[in-house]
Amino acid sequence: MMSRQAFLCSLGSLYLSLLFVFLLMDVYARPANNSALKEKPADSKDENEILPPDHLNGIKMEMDGHLNKEFHQEVFLGKEMEEFEEDSEPRKNRKKLMVIFSKVDINNDKKISAKEMQRWIMEKTDEHFQEAVEENKMHFRAVDPDGDGHVSWDEYKIKFLASKGFNEKEIAEKIRNNEELKIDEETQEVLDNLKDRWYQADNPPPDLLLNEEEFLSFLHPEHSRGMLKFMVKEIIRDLDQDGDKKLTLSEFISLPVGTVENQQAQDIDDDWVKDRRKEFEDVIDANRDGIVTMEELEEYMDPMNEYNALNEAKQMIAVADENQNHHLELEEILKYSEYFTGSKLMDYARNVHEEF
């Protein structure tokens, strides 16, 4: 016969088991985020397929107005950028860098001139362009469910909300019946901004339908002069504090850089301000009047601007030109490998002689 103590323990175990079952039922019965339209979060890859990226390869400034910290590597390495990883073997990276040097040095005089670097930068930028075009074909198919070669705003909106975790069929039905969508404020704000960009990418005559080329402009505004202007307006709007549609130095360096909690963070903030000040004064402000206009910012943002490419080439050479001959030798590029590739090579001088 079961003792009183054993009976109570058994009863307690049964109670805990039932409680656990009820908790599970409650969790699975509740809609995620208190919305009946929400389902499990979408895979980030699917979301990235249709959401315009903040980071545009080969562009000096991000769409939020921040400087692109990887720009030098992007226009020097192109597709090879992913091969230069921090944990890669230095000897292999050194060989890759030597191959790139030989490709840039088209006259084979063992040094790289500004013109040679300019040509290379333009070539790598175009490479990024072509890569975006190829990716766009895949992304366009993802949002063109009926395959008619055009995407309506509603079609895109459905796919976008599905990528954010909403039930695609329920969203589509509500949009078709003109029913109100229960969307959180943050998602709605993103949608409103995307709709503005959608209108801008819709070439005349406007029909709110984007073909593959227009969709490319929507995802990658650097491919369209009109969308480039729109991107510049967005950046000016975010940074312009007095509403004159121009940028002063103080406005340009006023982006929040994080909370300074220690000396290391302070140094990072100081470097951030220093980089933005230098870019403003030496590059963007073409006429050196202390004011950056929309036109100046547009020229700066244009990735296929040959003058900008030459100016960038000169800057890149100046960073590593230790003998001050306005050219880059292989030893100099190897020594400053972290600037050009993001990967630091150890014992560069000894190793380069071993290669030869």
Side-chain angles (χ1 to χ4, degrees):
M1 183 175 178
M2 183 182 294
S3 68
R4 174 182 171 83
Q5 184 176 4
F7 173 77
L8 290 176
C9 287
S10 175
L11 186 63
S13 298
L14 177 61
Y15 173 77
L16 288 176
S17 298
L18 288 173
L19 179 61
F20 180 68
V21 170
F22 284 131
L23 286 173
L24 281 179
M25 289 174 64
D26 181 55
V27 167
Y28 285 109
R30 275 200 313 267
N33 293 336
N34 299 318
S35 172
L37 295 176
K38 282 277 190 132
E39 52 188 19
K40 67 178 181 178
D43 183 81
S44 59
K45 183 179 183 296
D46 293 335
E47 180 177 339
N48 290 336
E49 284 183 353
I50 61 173
L51 187 62
D54 289 329
H55 183 97
L56 300 173
N57 290 334
I59 305 295
K60 293 196 71 172
M61 187 179 287
E62 307 287 7
M63 296 183 67
D64 58 6
H66 284 88
L67 295 178
N68 178 4
K69 289 293 185 183
E70 298 179 348
F71 177 75
H72 303 304
Q73 288 93 356
E74 290 171 357
V75 295
F76 185 73
L77 298 177
K79 292 181 179 179
E80 288 78 19
M81 184 175 175
E82 294 180 1
E83 297 181 11
F84 284 81
E85 302 173 355
E86 291 184 8
D87 57 351
S88 294
E89 186 180 337
R91 188 179 183 86
K92 289 183 178 180
N93 280 349
R94 189 170 60 254
K95 287 183 177 180
K96 294 173 189 174
L97 196 49
M98 291 172 69
V99 170
I100 292 175
F101 180 90
S102 65
K103 290 179 179 179
V104 184
D105 179 25
I106 54 176
N107 64 1
N108 297 315
D109 64 351
K110 305 300 181 185
K111 57 181 181 288
I112 295 175
S113 68
K115 281 292 185 180
E116 286 174 324
M117 185 67 85
Q118 178 197 31
R119 178 198 64 83
W120 182 256
I121 289 173
M122 296 293 290
E123 185 177 311
K124 295 294 105 178
T125 302
D126 185 64
E127 191 176 277
H128 287 305
F129 265 44
Q130 297 308 315
E131 187 175 7
V133 170
E134 290 303 314
E135 289 179 353
N136 182 70
K137 292 178 181 179
M138 176 183 66
H139 300 163
F140 185 77
R141 287 195 296 270
V143 295
D144 182 23
D146 53 16
D148 65 353
H150 293 84
V151 179
S152 69
W153 167 249
D154 282 345
E155 284 178 326
Y156 177 81
K157 184 177 180 179
I158 291 168
K159 290 293 183 181
F160 170 76
L161 289 175
S163 75
K164 301 295 286 185
F166 289 84
N167 185 292
E168 184 171 343
K169 289 184 179 179
E170 292 185 28
I171 285 289
E173 184 177 353
K174 284 182 176 292
I175 289 178
R176 187 165 51 249
N177 297 329
N178 293 318
E179 296 179 29
E180 182 182 357
L181 301 178
K182 295 181 180 179
I183 302 174
D184 58 274
E185 186 176 343
E186 182 180 351
T187 302
Q188 186 60 54
E189 184 178 352
V190 173
L191 264 178
D192 292 341
N193 291 334
L194 289 175
K195 193 171 185 179
D196 286 342
R197 289 184 60 170
W198 190 272
Y199 286 158
Q200 292 296 324
D202 186 16
N203 292 329
D207 56 7
L208 291 186
L209 297 174
L210 299 191
N211 57 30
E212 189 173 312
E213 183 179 350
E214 290 168 331
F215 192 71
L216 174 64
S217 297
F218 172 71
L219 287 185
H220 291 274
E222 75 276 16
H223 282 254
S224 163
R225 196 72 188 185
M227 284 297 289
L228 196 63
K229 289 178 181 290
F230 177 72
M231 186 162 64
V232 166
K233 288 180 181 178
E234 292 288 287
I235 293 175
I236 292 282
R237 184 196 65 185
D238 291 341
L239 303 184
D240 179 23
Q241 297 174 4
D242 58 13
D244 64 354
K245 297 182 179 180
K246 300 175 183 177
L247 295 180
T248 62
L249 176 60
S250 61
E251 289 173 328
F252 189 70
I253 64 176
S254 64
L255 281 176
V257 293
T259 303
V260 178
E261 298 179 350
N262 51 46
Q263 185 58 48
Q264 184 179 5
Q266 179 66 58
D267 292 341
I268 293 174
D269 281 8
D270 289 345
D271 289 342
W272 184 90
V273 171
K274 182 180 178 181
D275 288 344
R276 291 188 69 85
R277 180 188 298 274
K278 180 176 177 60
E279 200 70 18
F280 182 97
E281 295 176 342
D282 297 349
V283 185
I284 311 178
D285 184 15
N287 62 2
R288 304 294 191 272
D289 65 350
I291 298 291
V292 166
T293 64
M294 283 191 176
E295 291 73 21
E296 286 176 322
L297 188 55
E298 185 180 335
E299 288 302 308
Y300 169 80
M301 294 287 289
D302 183 3
M304 297 309 290
N305 185 312
E306 293 187 6
Y307 173 78
N308 284 351
L310 180 59
N311 190 37
E312 187 62 34
K314 292 177 179 178
Q315 287 188 61
M316 292 173 74
I317 289 174
V319 167
D321 184 20
E322 289 196 336
N323 61 11
Q324 299 295 303
N325 67 348
H326 305 293
H327 288 71
L328 285 181
E329 280 77 30
L330 179 58
E331 288 86 349
E332 291 172 327
I333 284 187
L334 291 173
K335 183 174 182 179
Y336 289 87
S337 63
E338 194 167 10
Y339 174 80
F340 293 100
T341 70
S343 174
K344 191 171 184 179
L345 307 182
M346 306 303 293
D347 298 326
Y348 81 95
R350 176 175 60 82
N351 289 323
V352 71
H353 289 300
E354 286 181 3
E355 300 292 344
F356 286 119

